[in-house]
Amino acid sequence: MTMASDPKMIPQSGLLSAEANQAAALAAYGGVLTVDLDAIIANWRKLEKTAVPAECSAVIKADAYGCGAAQVSRALSKAGCKTFFVATIEEARTVREAVPEAAIYVLGGYFQNTGEHYAKINCRPVIGDLNELAEWDVFCRRTGWTGGAAVHIDTGMNRLGLTLADAQAIIPRINAGDHGITLVMSHLVSAEQLNNPVNAKQLATFRSIASEFSGVPAALANSSGIFLGAPFQFDLVRPGAALYGVNPTPEADNPMQPVVDLKARIVQTRNVERGETVGYGGTWTARRPTKLAIIAVGYADGYFRAASSNDGTRGAEVVVAGKRCPVAGRVSMDLIAIDITDLPPNAARRGHMVTLLGEGITVDELAHHFGTIGYEVLTSLGHRYARVYKGGNEVEPLVKPEPAPTAEQPPSPPPIQQPASPPPLPS
């Protein structure tokens, strides 16, 4: 088990064991977020097996859904994953430090004058309109860059991607060869709904257009799309949330292993009399003499205020000494109160850790109390927690990514050849 590097971590003493050093370091934090890299690997392998013979990539945008992009990509690369998707060039830079040989696609698209950034770290833009394609072509012709790119086609999301008409118009050029396109992809609207007719409509549309991109691999399925069956899997699948334990089949049991365990520290215990209120607004009233535990976590840590309870609504629960205990009153910025009246005496004391995520409390359950989805729960978990990683062949400490280029310190571009005019594009 390793702990992510942190300049504020208590220095380790050579006189103590590794376990004692880690315990001393964790004592400085109000909460501990543990990421099980072996569970992520197991989830990826299950998805890979489900999608055979398609290649199984990994979506690790948003810092691997809050789980740590460097650690997750390194562990998955060791397990055999060869292709990764991120949202921004900065995210790609972090992943490239961790996995030097992987193929990395950047979903956020291509902007003029960003080609040098892509080339410097050898990653591939996902191109979603004709302007992007023209600008990328100019860069490639000007510099001789041959790193590849994906073409994103919109089949119903109405968010990013070439229109069907634009995609049809570039097919002759793609099929002429020497185009540098390494993937054609689209994105499903409602893959988590097994019988939604939109799925079949998008499948038919994408199959028709992708088949005309001669020799170019195709990708359609996200986490939930993998479970729609072989017709949706094409040459490559792109799981994201399922890797981190979110249920990709919400109409059935979750086939994924839980990944994240979140614990927070009891700051204080206290007794309140029947009729007293707890927390901001006095919305929760003790109906009996009540013992409370005050926990060092709040909405600033990604524990949403929506998990609060009041006199008419029961909020989220926390596992304390092996027993579920309800939140009492409003979640505040840094603290929550938990009703521990039914626990044995001394079962919960100041300094003890309680479980907010884990021990049966799933990401999807917490999302229900937060009024959102598991994706937002994971990506909102704050950075005031100590982060501990277990498994994954003992992942090395996090490598600090190279700083983003600035106007005062531009990146070193690849060799520049004579400028060329933009290639002709369909009108």
Side-chain angles (χ1 to χ4, degrees):
M1 182 179 292
T2 59
M3 186 169 176
S5 59
D6 189 320
K8 297 179 290 186
M9 188 186 303
I10 296 174
Q12 294 192 354
S13 167
L15 300 178
L16 299 176
S17 67
E19 292 78 11
N21 276 320
Q22 177 159 289
L26 295 180
Y29 291 84
V32 179
L33 178 68
T34 301
V35 177
D36 187 343
L37 295 171
D38 283 344
I40 293 177
I41 290 171
N43 288 340
W44 179 79
R45 285 178 172 155
K46 182 176 184 64
L47 294 162
E48 180 191 37
K49 183 177 180 180
T50 303
V52 167
E55 178 188 350
C56 188
S57 66
V59 178
I60 53 173
K61 61 183 179 176
D63 197 29
Y65 290 57
C67 292
Q71 293 89 342
V72 170
S73 60
R74 191 180 298 116
L76 287 176
S77 179
K78 289 179 179 179
C81 185
K82 294 179 173 58
T83 303
F84 297 89
F85 288 82
V86 296
T88 67
I89 295 175
E90 189 59 37
E91 290 180 349
R93 188 174 287 112
T94 297
V95 176
R96 177 58 73 215
E97 290 279 352
V99 285
E101 304 301 322
I104 302 173
Y105 287 93
V106 179
L107 293 162
Y110 183 87
F111 293 92
Q112 193 170 18
N113 301 322
T114 58
E116 289 85 358
H117 303 310
Y118 282 98
K120 186 173 183 179
I121 58 174
N122 187 22
C123 64
R124 304 172 182 179
V126 176
I127 292 171
D129 72 24
L130 293 182
N131 290 324
E132 292 180 41
L133 185 59
E135 292 162 359
W136 181 74
D137 275 338
V138 168
F139 170 75
C140 292
R141 293 192 178 197
R142 179 170 57 90
T143 64
W145 174 247
T146 57
V151 167
H152 184 177
I153 301 171
D154 180 23
T155 57
M157 181 72 79
N158 288 314
R159 194 176 59 173
L160 294 177
L162 274 71
T163 66
L164 293 177
D166 286 344
Q168 286 282 358
I170 67 170
I171 286 171
R173 174 176 158 252
I174 297 297
N175 291 343
D178 194 27
H179 48 73
I181 301 303
T182 53
L183 184 70
V184 58
M185 58 178 280
S186 189
H187 195 57
L188 293 165
V189 173
S190 302
E192 72 282 0
Q193 299 171 1
L194 186 63
N195 296 314
N196 192 317
V198 172
N199 295 326
K201 182 179 179 181
Q202 283 192 271
L203 174 62
T205 300
F206 184 67
R207 181 191 288 129
S208 176
I209 191 73
S211 67
E212 298 191 53
F213 281 69
S214 179
V216 180
L220 177 64
N222 55 3
S223 291
S224 297
I226 293 171
F227 292 90
L228 292 176
F232 288 83
Q233 294 164 4
F234 289 89
D235 302 297
L236 180 142
V237 295
R238 311 185 310 269
L243 295 171
Y244 313 105
V246 175
N247 188 359
T249 57
E251 297 174 354
D253 291 339
N254 190 354
M256 302 290 104
Q257 293 186 20
V259 167
V260 173
D261 178 274
L262 177 61
K263 289 182 167 55
R265 197 175 304 279
I266 297 176
V267 178
Q268 186 182 105
T269 61
R270 61 189 305 121
N271 296 306
V272 298
E273 297 300 324
R274 182 177 183 273
E276 291 191 71
T277 63
V278 175
Y280 282 118
T283 58
W284 187 91
T285 307
R287 298 181 180 180
R288 57 179 177 172
T290 300
K291 186 174 183 180
L292 300 174
I294 312 302
I295 313 299
V297 70
Y299 55 76
D301 305 290
Y303 199 85
F304 288 19
R305 193 170 182 265
S308 304
S309 64
N310 56 47
D311 288 338
T313 304
R314 187 179 178 92
E317 295 178 327
V318 172
V319 177
V320 185
K323 181 178 175 62
R324 287 192 174 219
C325 299
V327 171
R330 285 184 179 167
V331 174
S332 57
M333 183 179 289
D334 312 303
L335 299 167
I336 56 175
I338 306 298
D339 184 348
I340 59 170
T341 308
D342 295 330
L343 294 183
N346 297 319
R349 292 182 290 176
R350 182 171 69 90
H352 284 183
M353 301 295 275
V354 304
T355 299
L356 294 89
L357 189 54
E359 295 190 59
I361 299 176
T362 67
V363 171
D364 294 296
E365 177 186 335
L366 209 54
H368 171 75
H369 288 294
F370 289 179
T372 184
I373 57 176
Y375 300 63
E376 189 175 12
V377 174
L378 290 175
T379 57
S380 297
L381 294 176
H383 295 284
R384 298 198 291 193
Y385 305 119
R387 287 177 176 250
V388 175
Y389 293 87
K390 65 179 184 178
N393 298 322
E394 291 303 315
V395 173
E396 297 86 354
L398 175 64
V399 177
K400 186 177 180 180
E402 180 182 343
T406 64
E408 295 76 18
Q409 194 175 24
S412 301
I416 303 299
Q417 300 174 0
Q418 290 300 316
S421 299
L425 290 172
S427 59

